[in-house]
Amino acid sequence: MSDVAAQIAALEDAGQNELAAALAGLSGGRRKKLSAQVAELDLGLIGSLVDRFVTAGEGEAALGEVTEAPTIPLPADAEAERAEADARSAGENLLRSDRVSAVLLAGGQGSRLGFDGPKGNYPFAPITARTLFSHHAAKIAALRERYGCSLPWYILTSPQNNDVTRASFEEAGWFGLDPDSIRFVIQGTLPAVDARTGAILREAPDRLALSPDGHGGLLSALRRSGALDEMSDSGITTMFTFQVDNPLVRVCRPEFLGYHAQAGADMSNTAVRKVAPEEKMGVVARVDGRPGVVEYSDLPDELAEMRNPDGELTYWAGSIAVHCIEVAFARSLTDGGLKLPYHRALKKVPHVGADGKQVTPDEPNAIKFETFLFDALPAADASITIEAAREDEFAPIKNADGVDSAESARLLLNDLYARWFEAAGLAVPRDADGAPPDLEIDPRFALDAAELAAKLPPGFVVDGPLALGLDEGPTTAR
Ligand code: UTP
């Protein structure tokens, strides 16, 4: 029995008759191509997800009892400032002693942004049009320089975007970083299934409709690729994980690393204050007494809207998906297979029908399955959440326009850099709405306000748009 015959039998056993027939109906290169994808399918897992979400029509697991999570607020007095300074030096020690890696999540499809290519190649910067990857790379370079550390950089990609991501790093000369210090880790995929029948869908006659298995796929990808072993072998104990679409992220913020280490935490969170109860952000909370993040769509309205006597939202702590994760914790979670729950999302997935004709649905027709990284939190015996100043650390680029878009991120970045210049004693022109001109500062020139103040030449003036320390575009450093 040829491999393909065995695959056809296995698909039929699993109730995937449509795909079995499609494979049987192909020949030559196209059969080979589809067969190679079928070989990668975990039919047992897909079968159990279909049983649960399609056949039994179960929704997501019921939410447990939600209570507030303790958080470390922004320092408001001298004592808190001292605690923060202690945490900062603990975090800096971790960095200096080469115990930290930076892990960038860049395996998503970025469908809302509608940009052709990996989101990391999105040219977000208003003057130089530098890309998100270039900006993150400059932060990594600056941190390595500042702390004299190796800070290995792991980048999660998907089979769909890995080659083009890697090629863009090559083309960009690895953004000046040592190529050996960057490692791409490819996450797994899962096929979309028909929402009514559970049939595995094909996007072309010889190609499955596969998509990345969610950012929770990071953990198994790190394990499978040997990256966790590599980290342990080289003495890395802590991963700092961040998302590709937040150019404001303070990569490896020492205060966060330090609080996490001081608490002996397994996995920790960064949270910012939600702007409104209905803002679409997961909130950091305890669920049945365990650490967790509750997705915005799962948080009951009465909890989302609940306020403390001082008028603040009780569940204010919006997760910005910036975590510290212990390597040993990631290892324990992936021993004997990943133990994260799967979620379902109803989506419009164009596909080839059983009759071989292309179907372009008007309504959601398919289910995609994903795991989420924050679902690892309940397994953490110790976890801390640190509050971050929203305007300093969070500018998500999710949508083509409007809320959480390149435009909203541009305004936030301009504002951040304007505040840095002002803190250094410079005047920054602002328009009638208070908006400064377009400003860019290369993280290698200054990672924060203090570094900028120390490096600015005397007599420096900000009198219009400027890109400081960037050779890709104009600079007006004078
Ligand atoms: P989002 O959940 O915003 O998804 O990812 P997305 O794929 O970027 O965008 P949409 O929803 O299709 O518009 C948050 C972060 O997690 C990463 C993304 O690359 C982004 O940095 N991610 C998401 C992965 O690495 N893998 C995934 O499977 C999903």
Side-chain angles (χ1 to χ4, degrees):
M1 190 160 66
S2 73
D3 279 353
V4 174
Q7 286 180 343
I8 292 170
L11 286 168
E12 283 169 352
D13 275 355
Q16 293 292 345
N17 297 323
E18 210 176 296
L19 182 56
L23 185 56
L26 291 178
S27 57
R30 297 169 90 197
R31 172 181 265 223
K32 242 188 172 157
K33 202 169 152 195
L34 187 60
S35 163
Q37 291 199 324
V38 169
E40 297 294 317
L41 293 178
D42 180 344
L43 288 176
L45 171 66
I46 297 162
S48 67
L49 293 172
V50 166
D51 282 350
R52 180 172 151 212
F53 287 122
V54 181
T55 316
E58 278 179 38
E60 299 283 333
L63 185 64
E65 191 203 359
V66 178
T67 50
E68 277 174 84
T71 45
I72 299 166
L74 293 173
D77 55 33
E79 196 189 331
E81 269 163 20
R82 270 195 301 277
E84 190 183 69
D86 280 353
R88 184 180 318 122
S89 67
E92 289 178 338
N93 284 339
L94 277 183
L95 285 162
R96 285 200 190 94
S97 54
D98 258 340
R99 286 174 50 197
V100 182
S101 64
V103 179
L104 175 66
L105 279 80
Q109 293 179 301
S111 44
R112 282 170 289 172
L113 187 61
F115 172 68
D116 189 19
K119 223 190 217 186
N121 281 347
Y122 186 69
F124 77 101
I127 300 173
T128 61
R130 86 182 310 183
T131 66
L132 287 162
F133 280 140
S134 154
H135 187 62
H136 293 311
K139 289 187 185 178
I140 300 285
L143 286 158
R144 287 179 182 172
E145 172 79 29
R146 179 182 279 195
Y147 297 108
C149 56
S150 60
L151 190 64
W153 190 15
Y154 292 84
I155 300 174
L156 183 71
T157 60
S158 70
Q160 283 81 3
N161 73 14
N162 181 69
D163 292 354
V164 41
T165 299
R166 176 177 261 283
S168 31
F169 272 69
E170 265 163 20
E171 257 164 50
W174 302 87
F175 304 106
L177 298 169
D178 174 0
D180 290 338
S181 69
I182 302 176
R183 165 122 186 231
F184 297 99
V185 174
I186 307 177
Q187 69 176 107
T189 55
L190 280 169
V193 302
D194 186 292
R196 286 166 304 114
T197 64
I200 294 173
L201 297 177
R202 288 169 300 144
E203 62 185 13
D206 57 358
R207 213 166 56 232
L208 299 177
L210 294 172
S211 44
D213 57 3
H215 41 60
L218 170 72
L219 298 173
S220 33
L222 288 173
R223 183 70 189 244
R224 214 175 29 240
S225 65
L228 287 184
D229 293 333
E230 191 178 277
M231 287 190 222
S232 307
D233 292 348
S234 55
I236 303 283
T237 54
T238 308
M239 297 182 274
F240 176 95
T241 70
F242 59 113
Q243 301 195 332
V244 73
D245 49 19
N246 178 11
L248 220 52
V249 60
R250 289 183 62 189
V251 179
C252 295
R253 185 179 168 205
E255 292 83 351
F256 181 38
L257 287 164
Y259 277 123
H260 168 84
Q262 286 169 337
D266 295 313
M267 176 167 177
S268 296
N269 302 302
T270 307
V272 300
R273 285 191 184 266
K274 284 176 67 176
V275 290
E278 60 280 2
E279 189 180 11
K280 292 184 174 168
M281 287 182 98
V283 296
V284 180
R286 296 228 151 217
V287 181
D288 290 334
R290 304 294 303 175
V293 167
V294 182
E295 270 214 281
Y296 66 88
S297 49
D298 292 341
L299 189 69
D301 288 352
E302 69 268 22
L303 294 187
E305 282 157 19
M306 186 182 282
R307 291 189 185 268
N308 298 335
D310 64 0
E312 281 288 334
L313 290 174
T314 305
Y315 295 97
W316 58 264
S319 168
I320 58 169
V322 168
H323 302 289
C324 287
I325 304 177
E326 289 300 287
V327 174
F329 178 64
R331 187 178 282 287
S332 73
L333 277 173
T334 48
D335 269 339
L338 182 64
K339 302 169 208 70
L340 290 185
Y342 281 88
H343 298 267
R344 44 157 275 166
L346 200 56
K347 302 264 179 179
K348 279 192 247 176
V349 176
H351 62 101
V352 178
D355 56 2
K357 292 210 176 95
Q358 189 69 35
V359 180
T360 309
D362 299 325
E363 296 296 324
N365 62 315
I367 295 180
K368 288 186 179 182
F369 305 108
E370 284 189 329
T371 59
F372 299 148
L373 188 54
F374 58 71
D375 277 329
L377 280 164
D381 285 328
S383 170
I384 58 117
T385 300
I386 177 176
E387 179 184 355
R390 185 173 175 127
E391 64 280 11
D392 290 346
E393 304 205 20
F394 189 49
I397 300 179
K398 299 283 181 196
N399 304 310
D401 42 46
V403 179
D404 296 345
S405 62
E407 175 59 7
S408 59
R410 179 181 73 88
L411 299 176
L412 286 163
L413 281 151
N414 287 344
D415 189 65
L416 175 83
Y417 296 138
R419 285 184 284 115
W420 286 8
F421 280 118
E422 285 162 352
L426 273 69
V428 175
R430 289 179 181 262
D431 68 14
D433 297 326
D438 284 335
L439 300 170
E440 289 182 40
I441 297 176
D442 187 320
R444 287 168 299 197
F445 185 83
L447 257 180
D448 53 35
E451 192 172 14
L452 178 68
K455 280 198 181 167
L456 277 180
F460 190 86
V461 181
V462 181
D463 53 8
L466 81 86
L468 190 54
L470 284 148
D471 27 280
E472 293 106 305
T475 62
T476 57
R478 281 164 294 175

